[in-house]
Amino acid sequence: MAAGGPEGKGFRLSQIESWPRPLPRPRAIEGWTLLVTNLSRRATKYFLRETFGEVGEVTRLRLNLDDDLGFPKGSALIEYKNYDEALAAINVLHLNGMISVEWANERDGVPIRLLHAEGTYVRRWYVLVTRVQGKVQEANLQYLFGKYGEVTSIQMNHCGYIRFPKGYAFIEYKHHEVACWAMKLWNGSEFFGDVISVRWADDHRHVYREIPAGSLPDRLLLVTGLTARVAAAELHLQFGIYGEIINFETYDGRLDVVEGYALIEYKRFKEARAAISGADRNELHGQTILVNWANKMKPTYINMLFDDLMRNIFLRLPLHSIFRCSSVCKRWKHIISDRLFEDMHHDLALKNHGINPSMLFLADGNEDKPSFVYFFKNGFKRRSGVRGVCNSAYLEMRVARLSQLLNLHCIPHVNIGSSNGLLCYGHSCHCVGVTHDVAYVTNPLTKKFARFARHCDENLGPSRLIGFAFDVNEKKFKLVSLTEEVVGSKELEADSSAHPEKKLKKELKKELKVDILTIGADDVHPDDCKRIKISQDSFYRIFPQLSDAKFSSFAMNGCLYWCYLYSSSPLIIALHMRLNLFIDIPVGDLVLTGDRRFLMDWKGKLAIADVANSFDLLPAVKIWVREDGEWIGQEVHSWPDSILLPNWIEDFDIEMVNDRGFFFFFFFFFFTFTEKNSIEGGIEFLPSVEMQKAMIRSKPFKLWFSLAVQNPISTWFLTMIDFNLDISHAPCGLALHRKFTPVGVPPTLGKTIINIGILSILSKKEIGFATFQFSFLYWFLMGPFCFFYLMLLISIHFLFYALGLHGFIIELFMNLYSSDFKNKKILFESREEESPHR
Amino acid sequence: MASTSNSTSSKIITLRSSDGEVFEVEESVALESNLIRRMMEDDCANNIIPLPNVTAPIFYLVIEHCKKHAEMKDNKEKKKELRSQGEELLKSDPHTYSNLMEAVNYLDIKSLMDLTAQWLADFLKGKSPRLIRELLKIKNDFTPEEEAEILERNRWAFD
């Protein structure tokens, strides 16, 4: 972003005169403000001042910083004293180095000053009128408020939902004096039979829910003074005699509450009134109960407490109460879903319990943000922001960690899916002809889990669990198990007579069958098992494409989805849970270009996320939303960094370090050799789709790569291989992608600095990147040493592998060469025995 | 003000609330407040210490609770009693509660802060959002759709 660059330096104002200039040219009082967006996160004030100072005198500069983290948000406000200089800045710097420079305040393409004053471009004055009756028309307001001055616009909001006008209107005045006058005059006056209030419309937040008086009759009662012994059923009985109760809420019996309350909503106003007159001051269990209208709203005092006080209070609550509080009002929700609160909660949990807390936060689902799940960091370092996106593809990555958390070390980490905040993982094991399907469903928040088991028929081939969903209405889990069955000869003959051409196909393929198990939330064994033969051709195409690890379903809106998006013609198949029907979802001619593609829930609609793994801090994310049978693409800009890969790598790959160290070398060698041509120009290369597939298939890879990231020894291996490819490299420092800023050795010998993105596929679909820097000089110095050292290592590896001590040797090396490892617990238990499906 | 047992060197500190009333408080009690302590340390508390953010009735409550808290340090029954008092206060007069809370926050009294925050936390525990709204008179500023969405999302918390 060398904006301004050499051509900006010799800049003269006289050059600008010939440029087209918007007219009219109002006079500035406060200077001319420009809005600079699309800035790098590494932009500094100094840099901005330098760059923009080349064009003219910068009077004010404001770099917008993120509240929590303090890094630049990517936008800045820059104020020039002169119009010409500001215009010059736009002309020279706009889209130069990809930053965009615009007028900060403009109307119809003509810039306006920052502050209002006399002149043509004046701020409009908005007045808010509330308690407007339903029958009031716009013309009535126009008449009343337009009496003493010009009204530029009137905005009345209607609520189609209850066919009521919302009871307020915005009136826009041209002149401040008139607005003031109107306020003074009409505030508190009677208008169509109601006293209207007129005030400045600065604060919009307080008006949205203003309901005209009397529009909702009171039917809600608040009962206080109950003893803890009173059961809900008893209350129901007590109050049921007055009329039909449509809604009933009482305090949580699980907790020791001193005094009880209940909310009772009757269907009719009359019944509620009868209940008050009948039940008020009655005795129940020796205590007088009070019954009164519930929604007598008074100002909210509690809600005036400062945010940090509220945080202090929320921190004392158990988890489920926190989430309940988040649905009390917007402010509380905001406080709770705030990142600061998350951090505080996490720290507190660490401090109090000394355990690794896990926490799932459903963050704010704003208009332009998808819903996210935040997992709390639970590991070695205090805070490295472990986050995942709320869909199965991302939740899945955390499963290994979760199982650890839940003290379920023995569970093989095959994720089946996630649904409604529940995670399901499990496996099928084959013991002498008998297949057991075992599934664990866990709620990471409550840390509770359920285990389901099923014995399959002996006659069938191996089965595996491929899908999981939770039916909210029926409160039942649905598990989908896939069985490959060799089609019997009889069936084939019968088929062949009807469809002779199909016979060939069937002979080649095994038949896939799907069992849909329905399990009650409290049961262990399935209630219901339905077997479906799959006829869809796409299903046959999807499943072989995916390795075990990639079998993760995605549940949404009563359907389970499987997808294969890494091909030129993406495939999505859905299983309707209620109808037990497989449906092909046409993808059409959707072109996906990103390196990570997954299904997600975008505001209740099925969507494909297409994420490009760039080395930028903000990856380009495209979302394809399916609406009315069509895929509509949209770019997402406000994607938080949670989707980035590097956050995971740190604590995940260590666990993956396995004991098969030596053989990875050959895999690695092979890989590097075959992909030689893709290292072009010395810039980061991203593995092609085929490569990804190849790597996913060959499990050892990931282990090796993660080792390469962490361990100096393995980077020497890397060097060695590159040497064979006639690319002279040597490790000069490795930086995790997150700390991408090249901090290693400064570039020596021209172009030999090469960044290579190393793909490391971790436990599941997880793809991590590490960045290495190499320089010729370093290699020159270190190369021979490395080579001999490597030879030594190889021979030791051979020796130890032969002796069966390979796990030990890696541990030894890591302890020797990486001080980082000493602080971290490395799990060296062999995973081989744990994955029976392999 | 009643004196506590170990008042060997009980220096009296004079404090003035925002509405002009003057309080005489023992040093040991006053020093519970980090704000006052800091003022004393900086030697700007020679005469009357003004407390512009605290009104007299609230300040009286604060002092009372400070003393109670000091007494109950090793008495578990009283601790329970104090806890139940919070429930009563919150139910009858949330306004006073929030004023008290703010005053405590301003005076920076840690022990009381814990107590008052715990009151509200106990109060919120196990209650449904709707009940909380009604009891604390908080306006529901969600639209019905938004509310349904949040409830749906946090469904697990309500089971």
Side-chain angles (χ1 to χ4, degrees):
Chain A
M1 203 196 296
E7 67 272 12
K9 259 189 184 160
F11 207 78
R12 293 284 174 278
L13 278 185
S14 55
Q15 286 177 299
I16 313 164
E17 292 300 328
S18 54
W19 288 347
R21 177 179 299 162
L23 286 170
R25 248 181 83 185
R27 201 157 45 86
I29 290 171
E30 281 291 314
W32 300 92
T33 313
L34 300 179
L35 175 69
V36 185
T37 50
N38 211 11
L39 276 173
S40 157
R41 296 242 174 156
R42 295 196 288 276
T44 56
K45 263 193 179 176
Y46 177 76
F47 161 78
L48 285 171
R49 205 173 270 281
E50 284 281 289
T51 313
F52 285 84
E54 279 172 359
V55 183
E57 188 193 343
V58 176
T59 46
R60 244 193 270 172
L61 196 153
R62 204 189 127 149
L63 185 62
N64 296 325
L65 300 178
D66 190 287
D67 295 339
D68 294 342
L69 303 172
F71 60 74
K73 271 179 174 174
S75 65
L77 286 170
I78 287 165
E79 192 181 289
Y80 282 98
K81 199 171 181 186
N82 298 323
Y83 177 78
D84 299 282
E85 291 166 351
L87 190 65
I90 291 186
N91 284 325
V92 174
L93 298 172
H94 183 52
L95 297 183
N96 187 348
M98 295 316 285
I99 59 171
S100 98
V101 185
E102 298 157 313
W103 294 109
N105 310 306
E106 67 172 351
R107 185 162 288 183
D108 306 328
V110 183
I112 54 168
R113 288 184 301 269
L114 196 64
L115 286 191
H116 63 88
E118 80 289 342
T120 337
Y121 303 98
V122 195
R123 168 188 160 180
R124 301 289 191 219
W125 302 94
Y126 286 90
V127 162
L128 170 71
V129 188
T130 49
R131 295 191 151 267
V132 179
Q133 282 284 302
K135 53 198 166 192
V136 174
Q137 302 277 314
E138 218 164 89
N140 301 125
L141 286 171
Q142 173 78 42
Y143 174 75
L144 184 76
F145 288 94
K147 257 183 187 173
Y148 301 102
E150 193 189 340
V151 170
T152 38
S153 84
I154 290 181
Q155 202 188 85
M156 277 185 79
N157 291 354
H158 291 268
C159 183
Y161 183 63
I162 45 170
R163 290 187 296 126
F164 248 103
K166 281 186 178 169
Y168 62 89
F170 287 102
I171 292 167
E172 189 187 88
Y173 278 103
K174 202 169 178 184
H175 300 291
H176 181 238
E177 295 84 356
V178 184
C180 289
W181 179 244
M183 258 189 311
K184 217 180 267 177
L185 208 60
W186 304 125
N187 189 18
S189 67
E190 199 175 309
F191 186 51
F192 277 80
D194 206 338
V195 179
I196 54 170
S197 96
V198 187
R199 57 173 189 262
W200 291 119
D202 288 327
D203 199 346
H204 287 208
R205 278 173 306 166
H206 301 309
V207 296
Y208 286 133
R209 292 275 292 168
E210 196 130 347
I211 298 163
S215 67
L216 281 176
D218 294 337
R219 288 172 312 207
L220 195 64
L221 298 183
L222 177 67
V223 184
T224 52
L226 300 170
T227 52
R229 281 175 294 154
V230 178
E234 206 173 338
L235 273 180
H236 224 288
L237 208 69
Q238 191 91 13
F239 284 89
I241 51 173
Y242 299 106
E244 194 181 338
I245 295 174
I246 55 168
N247 214 329
F248 184 85
E249 271 175 46
T250 182
Y251 57 89
D252 199 327
R254 279 176 293 179
L255 291 148
D256 183 29
V257 184
V258 179
E259 204 171 341
Y261 311 90
L263 276 177
I264 296 169
E265 192 175 354
Y266 282 99
K267 203 171 179 187
R268 283 174 210 91
F269 174 66
K270 272 184 193 169
E271 295 164 353
R273 204 170 49 186
I276 289 189
S277 55
D280 196 17
R281 295 181 195 285
N282 275 9
E283 269 203 12
L284 195 65
H285 285 277
Q287 203 166 329
T288 319
I289 56 168
L290 298 174
V291 186
N292 208 341
W293 297 112
N295 46 1
K296 291 265 179 283
M297 273 300 172
K298 282 175 204 158
T300 65
Y301 298 118
I302 290 290
N303 221 7
M304 279 155 60
L305 288 176
F306 304 126
D307 277 9
D308 50 343
L309 287 181
M310 288 315 288
R311 254 180 235 122
N312 188 341
I313 290 158
F314 290 142
L315 284 176
R316 292 157 193 272
L317 291 174
L319 255 189
H320 67 266
S321 276
I322 293 180
F323 279 95
R324 284 178 181 201
C325 284
S326 76
S327 38
V328 166
C329 67
K330 276 186 179 164
R331 183 164 167 263
W332 287 22
K333 183 180 159 217
H334 185 77
I335 293 171
I336 287 172
S337 46
D338 190 28
R339 194 160 163 177
L340 182 62
F341 181 73
E342 283 174 30
D343 290 348
M344 284 167 79
H345 192 279
H346 171 244
D347 289 351
L348 195 77
L350 266 186
K351 203 173 117 196
N352 287 355
H353 308 296
I355 49 158
N356 302 330
S358 77
M359 195 163 168
L360 199 70
F361 253 80
L362 296 150
D364 199 345
N366 276 337
E367 288 87 44
D368 52 356
K369 277 186 201 165
S371 56
F372 289 97
V373 172
Y374 289 76
F375 267 92
F376 262 64
K377 167 76 182 170
N378 40 56
F380 310 115
K381 265 182 242 162
R382 212 180 117 260
R383 174 166 149 49
S384 71
V386 178
R387 271 168 211 101
V389 179
C390 175
N391 71 46
S392 56
Y394 279 84
L395 280 174
E396 154 185 11
M397 306 171 311
R398 292 284 145 208
V399 168
R401 169 71 68 181
L402 260 174
S403 63
Q404 213 187 353
L405 246 164
L406 295 161
N407 297 322
L408 301 172
H409 288 286
C410 52
I411 297 174
H413 309 136
V414 177
N415 185 30
I416 296 165
S418 78
S419 166
N420 292 71
L422 299 167
L423 275 173
C424 177
Y425 46 102
H427 64 107
S428 305
C429 46
H430 326 292
C431 299
V432 212
V434 184
T435 310
H436 305 274
D437 278 345
V438 183
Y440 295 88
V441 176
T442 170
N443 185 343
L445 290 162
T446 53
K447 293 189 184 181
K448 284 180 182 156
F449 67 95
R451 179 181 183 276
F452 308 120
R454 183 181 74 129
H455 301 283
C456 300
D457 295 339
E458 284 178 34
N459 309 333
L460 292 174
S463 73
R464 53 182 164 172
L465 294 164
I466 53 165
F468 165 74
F470 179 65
D471 194 327
V472 180
N473 297 327
E474 292 179 32
K475 298 226 170 196
K476 279 185 175 169
F477 302 110
K478 299 237 177 188
L479 277 166
V480 182
S481 145
L482 177 80
T483 317
E484 278 179 81
E485 200 178 336
V486 183
V487 180
S489 55
K490 275 181 197 169
E491 211 172 313
L492 256 181
E493 277 165 22
D495 258 7
S496 63
S497 57
H499 311 279
E501 70 274 15
K502 268 194 179 174
K503 188 190 165 189
L504 274 173
K505 260 190 180 175
K506 284 211 165 179
E507 273 175 340
L508 291 173
K509 279 180 192 167
K510 287 173 179 175
E511 192 161 89
L512 294 174
K513 281 184 176 170
V514 158
D515 291 340
I516 301 168
L517 314 174
T518 312
I519 305 164
D522 306 319
D523 301 339
V524 179
H525 296 291
D527 306 346
D528 181 32
C529 175
K530 212 155 215 173
R531 173 151 296 193
I532 305 176
K533 201 159 83 179
I534 302 163
S535 52
Q536 260 85 354
D537 201 33
S538 55
F539 203 78
Y540 286 88
R541 275 162 60 206
I542 286 180
F543 280 68
Q545 293 278 7
L546 304 168
S547 68
D548 296 16
K550 297 199 84 180
F551 260 128
S552 112
S553 60
F554 173 67
M556 200 188 123
N557 295 346
C559 282
L560 257 177
Y561 296 90
W562 291 271
C563 62
Y564 184 70
L565 302 171
Y566 290 94
S567 71
S568 52
S569 55
L571 297 166
I572 303 175
I573 196 160
L575 169 66
H576 196 287
M577 298 307 292
R578 186 105 6 111
L579 306 175
N580 293 334
L581 199 71
F582 277 96
I583 311 153
D584 267 324
I585 305 253
V587 179
D589 46 359
L590 210 59
V591 182
L592 301 173
T593 50
D595 301 293
R596 296 186 56 80
R597 307 157 188 184
F598 50 86
L599 291 178
M600 65 179 293
D601 181 343
W602 183 263
K603 297 169 197 167
K605 283 173 181 150
L606 182 71
I608 300 174
D610 195 11
V611 187
N613 270 333
S614 64
F615 279 92
D616 225 354
L617 270 162
L618 282 173
V621 178
K622 195 153 192 196
I623 304 258
W624 297 90
V625 186
R626 188 172 158 81
E627 276 179 49
D628 304 326
E630 278 186 41
W631 294 94
I632 297 162
Q634 49 177 289
E635 297 269 344
V636 183
H637 299 293
S638 60
W639 199 285
D641 53 349
S642 55
I643 195 166
L644 279 179
L645 311 158
N647 282 346
W648 322 324
I649 197 167
E650 263 187 332
D651 48 295
F652 249 75
D653 43 6
I654 299 158
E655 282 179 48
M656 295 305 135
V657 172
N658 212 315
D659 46 358
R660 285 182 265 175
F662 183 65
F663 283 97
F664 311 149
F665 172 72
F666 294 106
F667 278 106
F668 187 60
F669 185 88
F670 173 75
F671 157 69
T672 324
F673 192 74
T674 48
E675 290 302 318
K676 177 182 169 188
N677 295 331
S678 61
I679 308 175
E680 284 172 3
I683 314 164
E684 70 265 334
F685 76 92
L686 294 174
S688 62
V689 175
E690 284 74 23
M691 223 166 86
Q692 283 187 358
K693 271 191 259 167
M695 294 183 72
I696 288 161
R697 262 183 253 122
S698 57
K699 205 177 174 185
F701 253 122
K702 41 195 160 183
L703 308 171
W704 178 250
F705 275 102
S706 43
L707 194 65
V709 173
Q710 295 285 342
N711 198 328
I713 303 168
S714 40
T715 49
W716 285 343
F717 275 107
L718 193 76
T719 322
M720 159 76 184
I721 293 148
D722 285 342
F723 182 71
N724 282 332
L725 293 171
D726 292 330
I727 303 168
S728 300
H729 296 152
C732 270
L734 61 158
L736 284 178
H737 170 47
R738 192 158 51 153
K739 309 155 196 156
F740 177 62
T741 335
V743 284
V745 172
T748 49
L749 298 183
K751 64 171 219 165
T752 44
I753 282 279
I754 294 177
N755 291 326
I756 301 180
I758 297 292
L759 184 86
S760 76
I761 299 169
L762 302 178
S763 71
K764 306 286 176 271
K765 248 187 273 181
E766 199 172 349
I767 301 168
F769 280 84
T771 317
F772 290 79
Q773 284 187 16
F774 304 100
S775 86
F776 180 78
L777 187 66
Y778 197 89
W779 167 243
F780 191 74
L781 295 173
M782 293 296 290
F785 174 67
C786 289
F787 185 77
F788 288 116
Y789 194 82
L790 183 72
M791 285 300 129
L792 184 72
L793 281 180
I794 289 173
S795 47
I796 292 173
H797 259 294
F798 259 127
L799 186 70
F800 276 86
Y801 201 81
L803 293 173
L805 290 170
H806 39 282
F808 167 71
I809 190 72
I810 288 191
E811 186 179 28
L812 186 76
F813 284 150
M814 282 194 296
N815 285 335
L816 271 176
Y817 291 99
S818 171
S819 58
D820 237 23
F821 274 92
K822 286 176 189 165
N823 305 329
K824 299 175 178 181
K825 297 167 198 162
I826 309 156
L827 301 173
F828 273 109
E829 75 247 23
S830 167
R831 291 265 157 85
E832 265 175 306
E833 296 88 34
E834 288 174 12
S835 39
H837 57 276
R838 223 153 233 292
Chain B
M1 296 288 122
S3 62
T4 42
S5 54
N6 55 344
S7 54
T8 44
S9 63
S10 64
K11 199 175 143 194
I12 299 288
I13 293 171
T14 327
L15 304 163
R16 191 176 57 211
S17 64
S18 65
D19 39 4
E21 228 169 291
V22 176
F23 288 82
E24 289 185 336
V25 188
E26 275 170 51
E27 195 182 12
S28 59
V29 176
L31 283 185
E32 287 267 303
S33 158
N34 288 339
L35 179 88
I36 297 173
R37 175 180 296 165
R38 255 176 273 130
M39 284 170 111
M40 304 259 295
E41 278 166 7
D42 297 348
D43 261 353
C44 50
N46 292 330
N47 305 319
I48 299 174
I49 302 177
L51 301 170
N53 286 4
V54 188
T55 56
I58 298 297
F59 191 62
Y60 181 74
L61 261 180
V62 171
I63 294 172
E64 206 178 18
H65 279 103
C66 257
K67 278 184 187 162
K68 269 188 200 166
H69 199 265
E71 280 171 29
M72 65 143 211
K73 255 175 193 166
D74 32 34
N75 196 338
K76 271 195 177 173
E77 270 181 33
K78 281 207 172 169
K79 228 176 198 172
K80 251 189 188 172
E81 204 185 297
L82 264 188
R83 271 201 166 190
S84 63
Q85 272 183 6
E87 174 106 7
E88 258 163 50
L89 179 68
L90 265 169
K91 209 183 75 190
S92 58
D93 196 356
H95 187 45
T96 310
Y97 172 79
S98 56
N99 279 343
L100 177 66
M101 185 98 184
E102 262 159 34
V104 167
N105 187 41
Y106 169 70
L107 291 170
D108 200 359
I109 308 172
K110 201 174 171 299
S111 55
L112 262 196
M113 190 71 210
D114 281 348
L115 183 74
T116 44
Q118 194 61 47
W119 281 350
L120 187 52
D122 285 345
F123 189 77
L124 296 177
K125 242 178 237 173
K127 291 197 174 65
S128 72
R130 203 165 165 193
L131 203 54
I132 292 170
R133 250 181 254 136
E134 298 299 342
L135 291 171
L136 295 181
K137 313 255 186 282
I138 292 170
K139 199 173 212 168
N140 182 6
D141 49 4
F142 291 117
T143 62
E145 294 86 1
E146 278 174 338
E147 197 180 353
E149 195 195 324
I150 296 164
L151 288 181
E152 180 61 36
R153 218 186 279 168
N154 296 339
R155 179 180 283 274
W156 65 271
F158 296 93
D159 293 337

